[in-house]
Every structure is written in structure tokens, then in C-alpha cells.
Amino acid sequence: MGELTVGVLGYGYWGSKHVRVLNGIPDVDVVVIENHIDRLAAAGAAFPGLMCMADLDKALEFVDAIVIATAASSHAAIARRCLEAGVHVMVEKPLTTCALEARGLITLAAERGLVLMVGHTFEYNAAVHVLRDLVDSGELGTIRYIDTARLNLGLYQADVNVMWDLAPHDISIVNYLLGSTPTHVSAWARSHVPTQVEDVAYLQLEYAEPDTRAYVHVSWLDPKKVRRVTVVGSEKMAVYNDVDPNEPIRIYDMGVDESQSLNPDRPVSYRVGDILSPRVSGPEPLLVEDEHFVDCVRRGLVPRSDGRSGLAVVAAIEAAERSAAAAGARVSIDTAPALVEHAA
Ligand SMILES: NC(=O)c1ccc[n+]([C@@H]2O[C@H](COP(=O)([O-])OP(=O)(O)OC[C@H]3O[C@@H](n4cnc5c(N)ncnc54)[C@H](O)[C@@H]3O)[C@@H](O)[C@H]2O)c1
């Protein structure tokens, strides 16, 4: 396999992790691109062998592919610049902050025969794969609903609200688990710190196939760190707790059934059985994700989390913002792809 030169744009909190991970992949040369001089120096100190550059346009002459790890609102314009320069692109989540721009990127990548991938990290996470196997195998039964909570005293962003920052994780997880995308959303969001953007939000996402719902709660203003996905099935329930490194997945053999009794005081009957915690092991999700990106570039494959997967998340959040502005009105989500199909 020949050498591949991959740029990482943005050596901040997340971009520095991409640099570490990509630097460990055989036959990949990493170029760090960062316009903040102290951060560029930090990259040079941490990775003495790597080429470090401050100017994106200059760097685009050297790289075959690029990972864009800058602020969310900058993704669309930067990704367009990179694709126009003939460079394969992975954009951190969210793909863009506007569905129209996401469609434009999908079309552009397809026209140029370039890979466009979005960094939906949890789709590369071993615990999420265990959850998906539980859903796919039918062990949980019919999915009644999915509930997610991603709460913390979080980093307020200057350019986007909490929905754009945190909900991409949960929506991409639920889409992946169900193998589907939501058709409608109702959302409530509010700022609780004067002059700041919305810091707490609740989204109700409706899926048609399978016919189910997901309830997503995201917050930057909560005293406790919670990273939880609960899948409630007709047979069993499963909880993915991302802050429990020992038992991230628990399967509860419990549920309720319509009561066979004619007694109106007993509308349902309960089943309570064992709680099981399957072993979850696998490489670091970011390594799986970055290896997948490199593989797609090398072999001309369509990524698992491609532009359309990014668009589905962006369209859902865009619709959620419209819903929240209309006091939780039910808004339809248009996930129709761009006119030209992805052909990378
Ligand atoms: N997948 C995940 O789990 C995950 C986790 C955290 C953050 N993220 C995403 O990663 C992205 C970056 O987040 P972060 O927290 O690392 O931000 P950050 O502010 O820590 O880092 C961004 C860096 O990009 C640099 N930058 C911006 N524009 C540039 C340009 N034109 N040229 C060169 N450098 C430029 C900034 O100087 C900064 O150092 C966001 O989209 C965020 O949503 C993803």
C-alpha cells in the first residue's frame, strides 16, 4: 500500500486526537494544519517528525485527504474548499450546520469522485455495535422507544447551541441502531444563561420504519455527567452507559405486557428477570473511524458514515431548531439526498 498524506485541520481538543491516531496508522503521513501559533508549536513539540503548517491553501497542495476538526459553523465552507482542491474529506460532526450546504457537499464530492465522510464516532464504537446486534437479532423484541441523555457541565460553544454540539452523537447512534432516519421532530430548547445560546434541549424524533420514537435530552448545564442510551423493547431493555468503563452495556430481562386479567386495577402485567452485562471490547473508536476513512480513500469506497448519513443528522437538527422556535411544533425532516448520487 502506497503512502497517503492526510492533513488534520485544527489542532484543538479533538483534532489533536486525530493527529495521534492517524500518526499510528501504517503508511500514513500526517500534516498538522493550525492557524493558532501556540497550538501549532504544541503539535510540533508533541510530534517532532510531522509537517506542521499554518495555511490551509498551502497545505492542500501536499495532502491527499483531510480531516476537518474546526468549529461546527466553519465546516461547510472549509469542506467545499478542500473538495474543490481535489482532496478527500472527513468532516467532524456535525457535517454542516445547514442541510442545503450538506447537500451541496454531497453533490460536489460525487461530481469529483472524492470521499466525503462525517465523523460520527459512535458508529465506530464497540458498545454501540453490541447494542445494534441486540436490536438486529430481535433479542429485545419490537423496539418500543429509545431514550438518550447527554448531560454535563459542558463547554459552551461560541458558534452553535447545545443541539448542534451534542445531539449529532445521539441522532447518529439512534439512526445507526434502527438503520433508519427520522421523519418528524418536535423540540424544546432554551438558554438558561443570559446572552448565551440554548444550553438545554429535548427532542422527540419520529421514525416510520421501524415505527418508533427516540427522545433525546442534551444539556451543557447539568451537575452530573450522563452519557446514556436506553433501548426499550417488547421483550427486553438494554442500557448503554458510556461513563461506566466496566459494564457499558446492561441487558434487562424485564418488561410489561397487556394484562390478561379482567381486573381494571391491573392494566398491565410485569416481567422481571436477570440483568446481564456482555463483554464489550474493541479498539479505540477514533482509530476504527480513521482507519475506515483511510481505507475508503485508498480503495474508493463509500464510507459507513457518508455524506448522506451526515445530512440526515443535520436535517434533523435544522428541523428541531424550527420546532423549538415554534414552541415544540411537529416539523417534518427532509432527508432527500442531493440530485447527484454519491459515486466515490
Ligand atoms: N466526534 C467527537 O466525539 C467529537 C468530540 C469533540 C469535538 N468534536 C468536533 O470536533 C470539532 C472541533 O472541536 P474542538 O473541540 O476540537 O474545537 P477546538 O476549538 O478545540 O479546536 C479547533 C481548532 O481549529 C483551529 N482552526 C480553526 N479554523 C482554522 C483554519 N482555517 N486553519 C487552521 N486552523 C483552524 C483553531 O485554531 C483551533 O485550534 C467540532 O466540529 C466538534 O463538534 C467531535
Side-chain angles (χ1 to χ4, degrees), residues 3-46:
E3 288 289 321
L4 193 76
T5 305
V6 181
V8 176
L9 179 72
Y11 189 78
Y13 165 65
W14 200 245
S16 61
K17 296 187 193 302
H18 277 290
V19 172
R20 169 181 54 78
V21 162
L22 283 162
N23 194 40
I25 299 178
D27 300 320
V28 169
D29 287 331
V30 179
V31 177
V32 181
I33 310 142
E34 167 62 61
N35 61 11
H36 191 291
I37 207 69
D38 292 344
R39 289 189 176 174
L40 192 63

Side-chain angles (χ1 to χ4, degrees), residues 42-280:
F47 301 96
L50 300 191
M51 188 189 268
C52 295
M53 307 180 76
D55 185 64
L56 172 61
D57 287 322
K58 282 215 179 70
L60 286 175
E61 294 170 18
F62 291 91
V63 301
D64 304 300
I66 194 162
V67 174
I68 299 171
T70 57
S73 60
S74 68
H75 290 176
I78 292 175
R80 175 164 287 279
R81 238 161 99 192
C82 297
L83 290 169
E84 281 170 350
V87 167
H88 302 280
V89 167
M90 171 156 73
V91 189
E92 257 314 324
K93 61 83 195 163
L95 177 61
T96 63
T97 50
C98 160
L100 191 67
E101 289 171 340
R103 288 192 177 86
L105 294 182
I106 292 169
T107 303
L108 182 59
E111 283 169 357
R112 302 285 171 105
L114 294 167
V115 170
L116 174 63
M117 176 166 158
V118 60
H120 289 167
T121 326
F122 283 95
E123 294 183 38
Y124 302 89
N125 182 304
V128 175
H129 296 166
V130 169
L131 261 192
R132 170 136 176 185
D133 288 346
L134 287 168
V135 172
D136 282 355
S137 67
E139 188 175 338
L140 304 180
T142 306
I143 304 306
R144 293 201 201 269
Y145 75 91
I146 299 178
D147 180 90
T148 75
R150 196 167 296 276
L151 328 173
N152 202 3
L153 201 54
L155 275 184
Y156 280 70
Q157 303 289 309
D159 61 334
V160 290
N161 64 27
V162 71
M163 288 195 277
W164 288 108
D165 185 40
L166 298 183
H169 291 310
D170 301 296
I171 300 172
S172 68
I173 290 172
V174 178
N175 289 357
Y176 176 76
L177 292 179
L178 298 175
S180 181
T181 58
T183 58
H184 293 81
V185 62
S186 310
W188 296 265
R190 192 176 162 85
S191 158
H192 300 84
V193 176
T195 77
Q196 294 301 310
V197 291
E198 293 87 346
D199 45 24
V200 178
Y202 294 83
L203 288 72
Q204 175 188 262
L205 297 155
E206 295 175 38
Y207 290 77
E209 192 53 55
D211 180 9
T212 192
R213 294 200 175 194
Y215 305 98
V216 172
H217 177 196
V218 285
S219 174
W220 286 329
L221 195 56
D222 198 282
K224 194 167 155 56
K225 181 167 180 168
V226 179
R227 300 275 184 265
R228 192 185 60 225
V229 178
T230 305
V231 184
V232 174
S234 56
E235 302 301 318
K236 293 181 183 174
M237 306 178 187
V239 177
Y240 166 31
N241 179 1
D242 193 35
V243 295
D244 182 345
N246 298 319
E247 296 185 354
I249 301 274
R250 284 189 179 194
I251 306 164
Y252 296 77
D253 185 5
M254 57 173 65
V256 294
D257 296 313
E258 282 180 73
S259 177
Q260 300 305 317
S261 150
L262 294 177
N263 182 349
D265 293 336
R266 299 256 182 282
V268 294
S269 63
Y270 297 87
R271 285 177 287 105
V272 181
D274 292 340
I275 302 169
L276 224 127
S277 177
R279 210 171 92 83
V280 176

